[in-house]
Amino acid sequence: MNPTVVSEAPGLFTADGLAGLVFLIMVATTIIGGYIACSAERLVRGVAGLAVCFIGVAAIYYYLNSPFVAMMQMLIYVGAVCITISFAIMLAAPEDSKKSGPSGPLAGPLGLICAGLATFGMVVLALRTSFPVVQKINMGSVEKIGVQLLTTYSMVFELVSIVLLIAILGALVIARHGRSK
Amino acid sequence: MSILALHNSLNTYLLLAALLFGMGIYGLVTRRTLVGMLIASELILAASSINFMAFNRFTAPDPTIGQIFTLFIMAIAAAEAAIGLSITIAVYRNYKSVDTEDLVNLNG
């Protein structure tokens, strides 16, 4: 696909126009899911919003020419991380004891100010910078990813597997400690 | 530029990532339970991954590198979620609460 910006307007009922429409729907899904995830009163609804947000993010990866990463997003985030978080809610967060809303009267405005400043800074930076358009040397196919993972990035690949092994063992040890209490 | 051609523009993805990042910061500041803060940090990680993938698609000469980096971010995020949740469960065993205002043993 051509990485340059397409300037002519596609009609709604052409292939490009429908792709653009689905893209807008997926962006809305991501934003709504993120809003639910960061502001829902109950944590279970927050996790459901997080799953919706991750589904939208997977669709956005698909639009960025990366169907493999989109599939891994669905598998790892929607399938594993959200389920793990809901396990933790069931094990360790009793819903009836306290509300999970903002802590204190100042937290909401302060959080809005922090988030607004960070977002504003990033938006201004993104809009003011002009990024160069370069020539692609390949298309980033799954085959190329596999070759790169086992040649150029093989050291990082092995280190990440060790990190995952240690994380699993550490999680088991930490969660098992004091189980008899 | 038409609204239907937004998926071919780098700025769309950058603005979306900035919005997700802001939501993550908001959740991290305002949530009062550890699990809620973990959910917000997952939002921040998703925003950084979208940034990597957008620059990978639009400005990188070799589009495999950003995808590989995003895969590594996913692996680290999964490890982070597992560790964070086991710490949450350990904290709940010791304090019978995951409210951040009850965890005051290290208060100065």
Side-chain angles (χ1 to χ4, degrees):
Chain A
M1 216 183 276
N2 196 356
T4 53
V5 174
V6 177
S7 57
E8 76 266 22
L12 178 56
F13 292 106
T14 59
D16 276 351
L18 285 179
L21 186 67
V22 175
F23 176 75
L24 290 182
I25 293 173
M26 281 307 164
V27 167
T29 307
T30 309
I31 293 173
I32 293 170
Y35 176 73
I36 295 173
C38 74
S39 67
E41 191 83 1
R42 290 175 171 272
L43 282 176
V44 176
R45 290 183 190 165
V47 173
L50 192 71
V52 171
C53 175
F54 282 155
I55 290 173
V57 170
I60 283 163
Y61 288 162
Y62 197 86
Y63 274 89
L64 288 168
N65 277 354
S66 317
F68 178 65
V69 182
M71 188 193 77
M72 295 309 281
Q73 170 89 9
M74 291 294 285
L75 278 181
I76 295 177
Y77 277 112
V78 185
V81 170
C82 286
I83 299 297
T84 318
I85 293 177
S86 44
F87 267 123
I89 291 174
M90 286 191 282
L91 283 177
E95 287 280 345
D96 51 348
S97 64
K98 272 176 191 172
K99 287 186 174 176
S100 59
S103 52
L106 272 182
L110 278 181
L112 268 187
I113 290 172
C114 291
L117 280 180
T119 311
F120 179 73
M122 287 176 70
V123 166
V124 167
L125 266 183
L127 291 183
R128 281 197 179 170
T129 316
S130 65
F131 298 102
V133 175
V134 295
Q135 191 67 42
K136 299 276 182 194
I137 58 173
N138 64 49
M139 290 307 291
S141 62
V142 181
E143 187 189 351
K144 284 277 192 299
I145 295 175
V147 170
Q148 292 260 21
L149 267 182
L150 292 181
T151 54
T152 314
Y153 299 98
S154 56
M155 181 76 184
V156 191
F157 191 59
E158 299 298 329
L159 283 180
V160 162
S161 62
I162 292 176
V163 166
L164 276 177
L165 175 69
I166 293 174
I168 293 169
L169 289 180
L172 284 177
V173 169
I174 292 173
R176 200 169 176 277
H177 182 71
R179 207 174 152 196
S180 56
K181 278 186 198 170
Chain B
M1 181 172 146
S2 162
I3 193 171
L4 290 180
L6 277 181
H7 64 278
N8 276 322
S9 141
L10 172 61
N11 279 339
T12 316
Y13 298 98
L14 294 185
L15 297 192
L16 177 67
L19 201 58
L20 272 187
F21 182 79
M23 286 175 183
I25 294 284
Y26 175 76
L28 208 57
V29 173
T30 58
R31 285 285 190 189
R32 57 186 301 165
T33 63
L34 293 178
V35 181
M37 294 169 77
L38 199 70
I39 292 173
S41 72
E42 295 291 337
L43 279 182
I44 295 179
L45 283 170
S48 71
S49 295
I50 290 180
N51 258 356
F52 269 109
M53 295 293 288
F55 283 118
N56 177 52
R57 155 88 165 78
F58 288 98
T59 67
D62 185 356
T64 55
I65 297 176
Q67 298 187 42
I68 290 172
F69 213 104
T70 308
L71 290 176
F72 286 146
I73 291 179
M74 281 180 192
I76 299 298
E80 173 252 340
I83 295 278
L85 292 174
S86 64
I87 289 176
T88 307
I89 291 173
V91 164
Y92 180 68
R93 281 217 187 94
N94 283 326
Y95 292 88
K96 297 297 168 210
S97 160
V98 287
D99 195 322
T100 45
E101 287 174 6
D102 292 340
L103 315 176
V104 291
N105 266 10
L106 291 178
N107 239 356

